[in-house]
Amino acid sequence: MQSAFVMVIFGATGDLSQNRLMPALLTLFNQNFLPKDFYIVGFSRRELSDDEFREHFGELSQKPEWSDFSKHLYYQKGDFTKEQGYLGLIKKLNSFDKKMGACITRFFYLATPPENYEMILNFLSSTELAEGCGQGSNKWTRVIIEKPFGKDLETAITLDKKLSKIFEEKQIFRVDHYLGKETLQNMLAFRFANGIFEPVWNKNFIDHVQITFAEKKGVEARGKFFDGVGILRDVGQNHLMQLIAAVGMEMPKSFTKEDLRDERARVIRSIKCIEPKEVAKEVVRGQYQDYIKEKDVLPGSNTETFVAFKFNIESERLSGVPFYVRAGKKMPKDEVTISIVFLQTCHILFKEYGCPEMGNVLTIKIQPDEGIYLRVIAKKPGSKLALETADMHFTYEESFMTKGTEAYEKVLIDIFSGDQMLFNRSDELASSWEFITKILKGWEEDGSKLKIYTPGTWGPKEAQELIDRDGRKWL
Ligand code: BG6
């Protein structure tokens, strides 16, 4: 990237900035991706000087490359709810413009808990910060807004209306970093660039789809944020939806921003909502034991740390193919996978030779060890005919000697270059919120009974029953 810019990070001392944004910016700096002149301004409540802010990033600040990078960091103390900090920000940004002798591009990154978004947007508007450097040059301004985008369908629509009053659509970047994951992007290449998968990617060949979003860790230092949202809003409304879309979408007309977003939006719209009255049967809601003792979690909290549900997509391609999805904290391992389980045909010829319970399974591993695995049935070596499953696999690391670009690096690269393809459009968000909001409503209506599960297990037993009752098993 050649032209100078300034990125204001609201919530700069928080978890997201500390663990995702700054490391990604540092990597891009090391790879010479950033221009010679750039300014990162941290905006937060704490009283810090520029130098203190530069030293605020723990281990990251100890890295040898940090010292050159951190010369580009500045700090503006500000309470999101008071004008004063924003006025200080204006002065700071103007001084950068003055130094550069031009209006430089301004990125406003909202990396705060979502309840602050509206307030920050109000001040960006009333102080005219959103206008760019005072000459109505808003084309040089972009706003980046993190998930969760709202709390439900209604609040998401309200937030979107507010955003679009202040910014034009081309200036708005609604982040879901899963869209930046290498393997998720590869799903498109995998499905549509290889001629051999599309013909079987439909209800005639697929028995069912499983998606697992498992994390070993609990809420750690993010208790306050997480307790206010729960796992359904935290990863269900966004990351899971993107995984589902990657399985269900049709081939876009072209590989361009609008065509791709059209197809993503279309498939999310065609997910059959689980109606509130069906929620008790189709959705499992869990909380890990002792979650309520975690730091910053409200005593007696009713927030879920696990969710599992079953649903269908109503499309010509996949109608009738059940999708089983589970997401949880404090699971036995870190694993984000999509598994396409194909119909079993082994018994037609090999019934007596030990057909495995499940035949071909295509597993797309988003993490760890990003890659694609195909389980096939093979003859076991030996003089007798017996069958066994074997794995064919591709991992990024083995094939390309690299893990690829980290998701937040990709997110930032696209923001800097103005490419919105891997960012949500508001219609995609509205459809996913519609689905999630009906589940939330179902929980509200039935008192949202929580099932407590033991940390290190795959969630409450009801999650097993959800799939067992259809004669299937979690992989
Ligand atoms: C974030 C969620 O969006 O994604 C976290 O808020 C979750 O709760 C994280 O841990 C998972 O992202 P990744 O890239 O580590 O899979």
Side-chain angles (χ1 to χ4, degrees):
M1 192 200 177
Q2 293 312 314
S3 28
F5 72 83
V6 52
M7 178 174 268
V8 180
I9 304 179
F10 292 96
T13 52
D15 177 77
L16 179 72
S17 159
Q18 187 124 359
N19 297 323
R20 304 283 180 141
L21 294 179
M22 284 300 174
L25 283 164
L26 180 63
T27 306
L28 296 181
F29 176 75
N30 288 336
Q31 291 169 350
N32 290 323
F33 185 84
L34 302 183
K36 183 167 83 52
D37 298 298
F38 71 93
Y39 307 84
I40 310 282
V41 183
F43 187 107
S44 274
R45 235 173 301 231
R46 286 185 210 191
E47 186 78 60
L48 293 176
S49 66
D50 287 345
D51 280 339
E52 283 166 334
F53 180 59
R54 289 172 185 145
E55 281 154 27
H56 179 79
F57 294 90
E59 274 180 26
L60 206 60
S61 326
Q62 308 308 317
K63 293 199 170 183
E65 336 58 286
W66 182 260
S67 109
D68 281 344
F69 170 74
S70 69
K71 290 181 188 135
H72 298 263
L73 302 189
Y74 299 82
Y75 188 74
Q76 173 63 51
K77 173 185 155 43
D79 183 330
F80 302 134
T81 63
K82 304 218 168 76
E83 195 181 41
Q84 203 183 359
Y86 299 88
L87 298 180
L89 190 58
I90 292 178
K91 273 197 199 146
K92 208 157 252 165
L93 301 195
N94 286 346
S95 75
F96 300 145
D97 287 333
K98 201 163 163 207
K99 199 163 150 199
M100 298 303 303
C103 287
I104 59 174
T105 309
R106 294 176 176 184
F107 299 104
F108 296 109
Y109 202 122
L110 275 55
T112 67
E115 58 270 21
N116 298 308
Y117 293 167
E118 205 177 327
M119 185 64 70
I120 297 172
L121 289 171
N122 284 342
F123 277 113
L124 286 181
S125 170
S126 65
T127 58
E128 296 184 357
L129 268 162
E131 295 291 320
C133 70
Q135 287 131 27
S137 55
N138 67 4
K139 65 179 171 175
W140 304 118
T141 309
R142 287 176 199 147
V143 64
I144 300 111
I145 192 152
E146 271 288 339
K147 46 136 293 255
F149 190 89
K151 277 169 65 185
D152 53 21
L153 180 59
E154 204 186 319
T155 50
I157 291 175
T158 310
L159 178 59
D160 213 52
K161 279 193 183 145
K162 167 142 304 240
L163 260 178
S164 54
K165 265 196 195 143
I166 308 172
F167 296 99
E168 288 176 40
E169 183 58 30
K170 64 174 192 264
Q171 296 176 279
I172 306 171
F173 289 73
R174 303 174 191 86
V175 178
D176 178 341
H177 77 279
Y178 260 63
L179 281 169
K181 294 257 181 200
E182 200 73 74
T183 324
L184 207 62
Q185 293 175 63
N186 185 37
M187 280 282 283
L188 287 185
F190 184 75
R191 284 188 54 197
F192 302 121
N194 294 293
I196 59 172
F197 296 107
E198 262 318 269
V200 297
W201 205 274
N202 58 54
K203 59 189 175 202
N204 300 326
F205 292 90
I206 298 176
D207 179 74
H208 71 281
V209 177
Q210 294 189 18
I211 297 181
T212 293
F213 193 113
E215 292 179 294
K216 248 175 129 167
K217 63 183 183 197
V219 293
E220 300 187 319
R222 299 168 74 225
K224 187 156 183 263
F225 161 80
F226 189 87
D227 204 39
V229 292
I231 200 136
L232 186 65
R233 291 185 179 99
D234 184 34
V235 306
Q237 182 274 329
N238 33 72
H239 307 336
L240 286 180
M241 285 294 155
Q242 296 308 336
L243 302 181
I244 295 164
V247 177
M249 71 190 272
E250 297 301 323
M251 179 146 85
K253 275 199 254 131
S254 70
F255 199 66
T256 54
K257 175 182 84 177
E258 288 315 328
D259 284 344
L260 204 82
R261 288 166 132 195
D262 280 350
E263 288 309 333
R264 276 203 319 251
R266 201 187 318 273
V267 64
I268 296 176
R269 206 163 48 236
S270 62
I271 297 176
K272 188 170 181 303
C273 287
I274 303 171
E275 294 302 324
K277 62 178 180 341
E278 301 165 330
V279 164
K281 184 167 172 247
E282 306 296 351
V283 186
V284 179
R285 184 167 192 269
Q287 186 186 77
Y288 63 79
Q289 209 166 23
D290 290 341
Y291 164 76
I292 47 172
K293 294 187 187 153
E294 296 277 21
K295 187 169 171 279
D296 298 330
V297 166
L298 289 179
S301 165
N302 188 37
T303 299
E304 82 286 353
T305 60
F306 177 91
V307 69
F309 51 90
K310 176 189 163 189
F311 67 94
N312 286 93
I313 292 182
E314 290 181 313
S315 68
E316 176 124 2
R317 177 190 290 276
L318 290 171
S319 70
V321 175
F323 279 62
Y324 301 90
V325 174
R326 57 182 171 171
K329 303 262 181 206
K330 293 253 177 171
M331 299 276 104
K333 55 177 173 173
D334 286 319
E335 181 187 310
V336 180
T337 48
I338 302 173
S339 296
I340 316 286
V341 181
F342 289 92
L343 288 163
Q344 174 68 296
T345 53
C346 169
H347 58 277
I348 298 173
L349 190 58
F350 296 107
K351 201 168 171 198
E352 294 105 68
Y353 301 97
C355 285
E357 214 176 322
M358 246 183 243
N360 299 132
V361 180
L362 182 75
T363 299
I364 296 105
K365 221 177 202 185
I366 286 93
Q367 58 193 28
D369 314 323
E370 299 177 303
I372 297 181
Y373 301 73
L374 179 63
R375 188 158 91 157
V376 292
I377 301 176
K379 179 190 165 301
K380 252 201 235 175
S383 57
K384 278 194 189 154
L385 179 60
L387 302 179
E388 188 61 88
T389 54
D391 263 342
M392 294 161 70
H393 73 268
F394 142 77
T395 65
Y396 272 88
E397 220 164 355
E398 275 176 16
S399 300
F400 298 117
M401 311 298 164
T402 167
K403 284 194 160 190
T405 310
E406 202 276 325
Y408 266 98
E409 290 162 24
K410 175 69 179 149
V411 165
L412 287 165
I413 289 171
D414 288 354
I415 291 167
F416 294 144
S417 55
D419 182 352
Q420 291 173 309
M421 190 187 292
L422 300 179
F423 294 82
N424 282 305
R425 209 169 56 186
S426 41
D427 55 339
E428 293 177 65
L429 281 173
S431 304
S432 59
W433 269 122
E434 193 181 344
F435 179 80
I436 298 296
T437 305
K438 290 207 171 161
I439 298 183
L440 293 169
K441 195 142 183 270
W443 285 346
E444 240 172 73
E445 285 171 10
D446 83 345
S448 60
K449 284 171 217 106
L450 270 178
K451 319 279 183 226
I452 302 296
Y453 61 96
T454 311
T457 65
W458 286 106
K461 68 175 186 345
E462 286 77 1
Q464 291 300 330
E465 288 163 13
L466 181 81
I467 190 163
D468 284 356
R469 69 177 189 224
D470 294 343
R472 300 188 173 101
K473 279 196 176 120
W474 291 110
L475 283 159

